[in-house]
């Protein structure tokens, strides 16, 4: 599932995902059934798009399958996912890895990787947060132009004052 949070998070923006399923030998595992919450989204689990609140459902995934979820180009957003404790903010891809294991007679997901945290569930939520700061004050890239404007105004005032002083004499 895709969730967008933050004051500047665009809930109507499409975020691009890839989902890869592999076995212990790094061979591709075929998912028998997958469906998207948005009926307009169809096709494979590569380069599909999700907006806030949308999701993809995978069914009949074999035990010991490794699921790799990759989100592309979520620039300016802090990205996190269920079972991973660190938010990532960069301009590249964000990847989260899970493994389907059997516990108590049912299949559950376990997060993999160095930033994993305890997670025993059946759903992955990828969250993008963008709080940002509104532009306030003077931007440093416009400061030189403001200084030039101030010098020009000061020069104009100086010329007017000199003319009046010269006229008074």
């Amino acid at each position: 599932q895709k969730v967008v949070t933050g004051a500047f998070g665009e809930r109507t923006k499409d975020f691009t995902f890839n989902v890869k399923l592999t076995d212990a030998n790094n061979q591709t595992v075929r998912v028998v059934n997958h469906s998207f919450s948005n009926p307009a989204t169809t096709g494979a689990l590569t380069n599909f798009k999700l907006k806030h609140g949308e999701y993809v459902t995978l069914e009949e995934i074999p035990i010991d399958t490794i699921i790799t979820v990759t989100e592309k180009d979520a620039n300016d957003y802090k990205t996190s996912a269920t079972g991973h404790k660190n938010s990532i903010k960069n301009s590249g891809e964000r990847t989260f890895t899970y493994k389907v294991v059997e516990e108590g007679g049912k299949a559950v997901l376990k997060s993999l990787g160095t930033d994993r945290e305890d997670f025993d569930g059946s759903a992955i939520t990828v969250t993008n947060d963008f709080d940002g700061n509104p532009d306030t004050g003077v931007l440093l890239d416009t400061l030189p132009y403001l200084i030039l404007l101030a010098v020009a105004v000061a020069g104009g005032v100086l010329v007017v004052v000199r003319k009046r002083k010269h006229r008074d004499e």
Side-chain angles (χ1 to χ4, degrees):
Q1 180 175 4
K2 178 73 200 160
V3 173
V4 179
T5 61
F8 292 100
E10 294 180 58
R11 292 178 174 227
T12 58
K13 177 181 170 136
D14 284 324
F15 292 90
T16 305
F17 287 89
N18 286 316
V19 175
K20 183 178 177 184
L21 296 113
T22 55
D23 62 16
N25 298 321
N26 204 25
Q27 299 297 313
T28 300
V29 173
R30 300 269 178 230
V31 176
V32 177
N33 291 315
H34 72 276
S35 60
F36 297 95
S37 63
N38 181 347
T41 305
T42 59
L45 293 173
T46 56
N47 293 318
F48 64 92
K49 299 187 183 305
L50 295 176
K51 293 180 177 133
H52 172 76
E54 294 182 343
Y55 58 89
V56 60
T57 302
L58 308 175
E59 297 176 2
E60 301 179 30
I61 302 173
I63 300 296
D64 293 331
T65 298
I66 296 171
I67 302 171
T68 305
V69 177
T70 303
E71 183 178 25
K72 298 179 181 181
D73 301 325
N75 301 336
D76 298 323
Y77 286 84
K78 288 182 189 172
T79 304
S80 60
T82 307
H84 292 271
K85 61 185 170 195
N86 295 325
S87 291
I88 304 167
K89 184 175 181 183
N90 63 20
S91 60
E93 296 180 343
R94 287 101 184 222
T95 301
F96 304 100
T97 309
Y98 302 87
K99 186 174 185 177
V100 179
V101 298
E102 184 176 351
E103 282 187 358
K106 67 178 192 174
V108 295
L109 293 170
K110 294 283 189 177
S111 54
L112 302 176
T114 57
D115 71 334
R116 72 179 182 269
E117 61 186 2
D118 288 337
F119 164 64
D120 295 327
S122 60
I124 300 167
T125 300
V126 178
T127 303
N128 285 17
D129 181 66
F130 186 26
D131 273 328
N133 293 317
D135 291 336
T136 58
V138 176
L139 298 176
L140 292 179
D141 57 349
T142 60
L143 186 61
Y145 300 107
L146 292 175
I147 291 172
L148 284 174
L149 178 63
V151 168
V153 168
V157 169
L158 183 64
V159 167
V160 170
V161 168
R162 277 190 155 183
K163 278 189 175 185
R164 282 192 177 173
K165 193 175 189 180
H166 202 284
R167 206 181 308 155
D168 291 340
E169 290 178 357

